[in-house]
Amino acid sequence: MKKLLIGILFLSVITACSSDDTLYNNPNLLDVNVNFQIDLSLPQYNSLNFPSSPVYVPNYGNAGIVIMKNGADSFVAFDAADPNHPRKNECVAMELNGIHIFCGCEGNTYDLFTGGVVEGDEENLRYPLFRYRVVQNGNGLLNVRN
């Protein structure tokens, strides 16, 4: 019985670990440290109190960060840099368009609920949007970090 329990535990640990190589080994994005708070009571972040109303926060990540409430008490945050667009190019930051974010240079469009590709040259779109962790404190503060 003990060996069976250890075997099940070992198997669950192995299957729970997944590779994020395509996310974290993206040559188009810099590895930058992100750790900041947002107060949802401030006017510039008021739309985050409602689902599907993204907000762009400049000066963090590679090209700013887009935050969106995607459910009752759930938030997502993505880097605003196109993950499939080399940084050498002048067109790095993407633009918001409802619940999508798009690159005006390449025409790549990504979904802000999942970070996945909506439109673009699928053969060359290897990476999803780079996602940051969002932790909501009970007092109306969001902590965004990697």
Side-chain angles (χ1 to χ4, degrees):
M1 180 68 170
K2 191 175 182 181
K3 288 181 181 180
L4 178 63
L5 185 59
I6 290 173
I8 291 172
L9 180 65
F10 179 72
L11 184 60
S12 65
V13 168
I14 288 175
T15 58
C17 298
S18 64
S19 174
D20 287 335
D21 288 346
T22 59
L23 188 61
Y24 294 106
N25 291 330
N26 186 332
N28 300 322
L29 299 177
L30 299 174
D31 185 17
V32 294
N33 188 29
V34 171
N35 190 0
F36 66 95
Q37 282 190 336
I38 286 181
D39 186 346
L40 294 175
S41 66
L42 294 174
Q44 64 265 38
Y45 304 120
N46 184 52
S47 65
L48 288 175
N49 291 304
F50 307 98
S52 304
S53 299
V55 170
Y56 173 75
V57 181
N59 304 321
Y60 292 100
N62 285 274
I65 295 178
V66 175
I67 304 170
M68 185 177 78
K69 185 172 189 173
N70 66 351
D73 292 319
S74 180
F75 292 86
V76 291
F78 296 104
D79 204 297
D82 187 339
N84 294 291
H85 195 164
R87 292 193 52 84
K88 297 176 211 167
N89 199 315
E90 295 174 11
C91 182
V92 177
M94 295 191 287
E95 299 175 38
L96 287 172
N97 184 14
I99 60 167
H100 297 127
I101 187 168
F102 72 96
C103 175
C105 295
E106 301 291 327
N108 302 337
T109 303
Y110 302 87
D111 179 73
L112 289 174
F113 281 99
T114 65
V117 175
V118 174
E119 186 178 319
D121 181 11
E122 293 183 20
E123 289 182 18
N124 296 319
L125 297 180
R126 187 172 165 205
Y127 303 101
L129 290 175
F130 186 84
R131 188 175 191 152
Y132 295 97
R133 291 181 184 94
V134 181
V135 178
Q136 183 177 13
N137 298 331
N139 56 0
L141 293 177
L142 296 181
N143 188 12
V144 180
R145 64 178 186 247
N146 51 350

